[in-house]
Amino acid sequence: VAMVLLNRSTSAFVSPHQSVNLHNSKHKIQRNLLQIRGGDINTVPSSSALSSIVGPATETLHQVLVSGTPLRAVGALYAVASLTVVPLTYYQTAYSFSVGYGLSVAAMSLALLTSFKFTLSAPSILAVTSLVYGLRLGGYIFARERTVESKRKQFEEMNKRPILKRTPLALGVSLLYAFMVSPALFALRGTLDAGSVLKKVQLCFTGVSAFGMLLEAVADQHKYEVKRKSKEGEFVGPTTWSYTICRHPNYLGEILYWAGLFVAGSVSFGNSTVQWVSGVLGFLGILSIMLGSSSRLDGKQFKAYGDQPNYVEWKRNVKASVIPLLK
């Protein structure tokens, strides 16, 4: 503060022959002030020190994503996901597969969008929808935790694990998230002939992905509004709109989103083993999670509402749990 006041006070009405002496005087006073505080004018912290670390790291990340080997490129996505998920998991265990899930997808998508030139093409649209998907999901889950008492208690109950023991969980799910986003990466790196069948397939499933994202967002919001006003132990649905398609349309939307992204990216995989392995593992991983979650939720709902007429009628009319036409 003293140095700022000194600069201001000496900046007005200074004649040319006084400027050198004033500059030397200010420099001496600044040095004395820094020495009193235990520092030195030659070692004043600068943002250039941080930028000298972040800059090269960011440049390396971009180079690996664009032109590195497929294995190194997936590793770069994993690094971005881990840097997002691990700190959030240390703060709240449940964030590893909720808020951290959404924000890690958004972070990886942002890395892709800043590494590749944006064009009005299916691969670029995939990356944009992935960014929007991650931000929306992370924000929604965070807001739900803060405003729905049952979810807040559920998160608190899961937060009893020691911090260091959360690391394997965080690193494990980060790898899954990297695998899930990898098809978007390889779609951006690949080249398909204009007008080819593969190009049309990529465009079609980019649309499927966007539709899945929209369906999940609408179903999530619908359920949030209904549950927020419900009384504990009372089944209130939702039972209308997308909840007449299947009992868990938000899970259906999530499956459609990742299925669309996987197929849209897979047409660029070629004969690359790494690309196929990472893409298939990512999609099968999220598919098994969604199907398992829907099955467990069906069990919880039946246990809680199995004797309530509204629930019995809704379940009788809507036979599919997640996949329409399948019980």
Side-chain angles (χ1 to χ4, degrees), residues 114-136:
T114 55
S115 299
F116 294 85
K117 181 180 179 181
F118 178 82
T119 60
L120 289 177
S121 61
S124 292
I125 293 173
L126 271 181
V128 171
T129 57
S130 186
L131 174 63
V132 174
Y133 178 90
L135 290 175
R136 198 283 311 176

Side-chain angles (χ1 to χ4, degrees), residues 121-193:
S121 61
S124 292
I125 293 173
L126 271 181
V128 171
T129 57
S130 186
L131 174 63
V132 174
Y133 178 90
L135 290 175
R136 198 283 311 176
L137 183 61
Y140 163 75
I141 296 175
F142 180 79
R144 187 183 63 177
E145 180 216 348
R146 299 294 176 178
T147 56
V148 178
E149 183 65 17
S150 61
K151 291 296 180 182
R152 185 186 65 79
K153 290 181 179 179
Q154 184 181 14
F155 275 36
E156 287 181 354
E157 189 66 25
M158 298 178 64
N159 208 38
K160 296 179 180 179
R161 179 183 298 186
I163 289 181
L164 292 181
K165 290 186 177 181
R166 303 175 192 180
T167 305
L169 170 64
L171 294 177
V173 296
S174 295
L175 184 60
L176 173 62
Y177 302 154
F179 285 165
M180 289 162 57
V181 174
S182 65
L185 161 66
F186 296 122
L188 287 164
R189 287 171 53 133
T191 55
L192 299 174
D193 294 334

Side-chain angles (χ1 to χ4, degrees), residues 140-256:
Y140 163 75
I141 296 175
F142 180 79
R144 187 183 63 177
E145 180 216 348
R146 299 294 176 178
T147 56
V148 178
E149 183 65 17
S150 61
K151 291 296 180 182
R152 185 186 65 79
K153 290 181 179 179
Q154 184 181 14
F155 275 36
E156 287 181 354
E157 189 66 25
M158 298 178 64
N159 208 38
K160 296 179 180 179
R161 179 183 298 186
I163 289 181
L164 292 181
K165 290 186 177 181
R166 303 175 192 180
T167 305
L169 170 64
L171 294 177
V173 296
S174 295
L175 184 60
L176 173 62
Y177 302 154
F179 285 165
M180 289 162 57
V181 174
S182 65
L185 161 66
F186 296 122
L188 287 164
R189 287 171 53 133
T191 55
L192 299 174
D193 294 334
S196 66
V197 174
L198 292 180
K199 192 73 172 179
K200 293 177 181 178
V201 169
Q202 186 178 70
L203 183 60
C204 176
F205 278 89
T206 298
V208 170
S209 183
F211 173 75
M213 177 181 68
L214 180 62
L215 174 60
E216 182 182 359
V218 171
D220 273 344
Q221 191 62 31
H222 187 185
K223 188 172 185 177
Y224 170 73
E225 294 297 336
V226 170
K227 291 293 186 182
R228 190 174 56 162
K229 302 173 184 177
S230 66
K231 297 179 181 179
E232 187 174 354
E234 178 186 3
F235 178 75
V236 293
T239 59
T240 58
W241 292 56
S242 59
Y243 287 84
T244 61
I245 302 172
C246 61
R247 294 194 295 273
H248 310 294
N250 50 342
Y251 292 167
L252 173 62
E254 190 158 0
I255 291 172
L256 286 175

